[in-house]
Amino acid sequence: TNGKTTTAAMAAAILERAGARLVHNRAGANMAGGVATALLDGPRDADTGLFEVDEFWLGQVADELRPRALLLANLFRDQLDRYGELDTIADRWAQVAATTDAALVLNADDPTVADLGRGAPSTYFGIEDDSMALAEMQHASDATHCRRCGAPYVYDAVYLGHLGRYHCESCGATRPEPQVAARAITLQGVRDARFTLSTPDGERDIALPLPGLYNVYNA
């Protein structure tokens, strides 16, 4: 629900720098009509599609596009006024995850998103820096109960909203180990952020010209 346009813009810049010729809904029109318009107006020699998709439209758009990769970053309740309970969207996403052939890229720190990879090959990303942990969970946080058994999650660290390191003492569900992680994070006020990006191919120090931990997640 949060960071779709920013994350898509970052991915577009990376792909284009690597030589991809993109069809991309840059203006953020992310329902079916916006995706269709991007396809109609995109360059005829394009070889790659990159689409930001509204959370409610994900199933229909994925069925039509048959994506090679599907990134699900977070699920917050800020769309409640449009779509009803967060669990409604989570159930829709679970159906997409269970039926798609796409490679799943999931936020390990969001319990609802991470659980979508249960039983499916997935790449997980997340924060590995407890210096970013909050003193306590915000009272209005989402996704505080296990989707497998309904028991409350126990958080070992809370980073942002309901994002963090967690486990279920009832059924044993736990946060997956992220293959892609942000470590040694330094937040420099409203200016920028720095962190070490750890991946299976090695590590790289990142100077991000965007502030806040939420943009570290986006990156």
Side-chain angles (χ1 to χ4, degrees), residues 75-181:
L75 192 54
F76 281 89
R77 200 175 294 272
D78 60 356
Q79 302 297 335
L80 182 63
D81 57 331
R82 286 201 294 159
Y83 295 144
E85 280 297 320
L86 180 145
D87 286 342
T88 301
I89 302 297
D91 290 342
R92 286 175 173 263
W93 284 15
Q95 183 176 8
V96 174
T99 56
T100 185
D101 293 327
L104 296 177
V105 182
L106 305 174
N107 187 348
D109 297 347
D110 187 315
T112 303
V113 171
D115 192 62
L116 299 176
R118 190 191 335 169
S122 305
T123 298
Y124 290 98
F125 67 93
I127 300 295
E128 291 281 354
D129 185 349
D130 280 0
S131 71
M132 294 292 106
L134 303 173
E136 59 184 0
M137 177 172 284
Q138 297 163 337
H139 71 279
S141 292
D142 305 320
T144 55
H145 287 74
C146 178
R147 277 180 62 83
R148 304 188 192 187
C149 72
Y153 284 117
V154 175
Y155 275 80
D156 306 297
V158 177
Y159 300 132
L160 179 67
H162 61 272
L163 308 184
R165 286 193 295 107
Y166 52 87
H167 66 276
C168 176
E169 293 187 338
S170 177
C171 71
T174 188
R175 168 188 180 259
E177 191 73 21
Q179 295 101 319
V180 177

Side-chain angles (χ1 to χ4, degrees), residues 128-129 182-186 194-196:
E128 291 281 354
D129 185 349
R183 309 177 191 274
I185 300 168
T186 301
R194 294 177 180 270
F195 62 95
T196 298

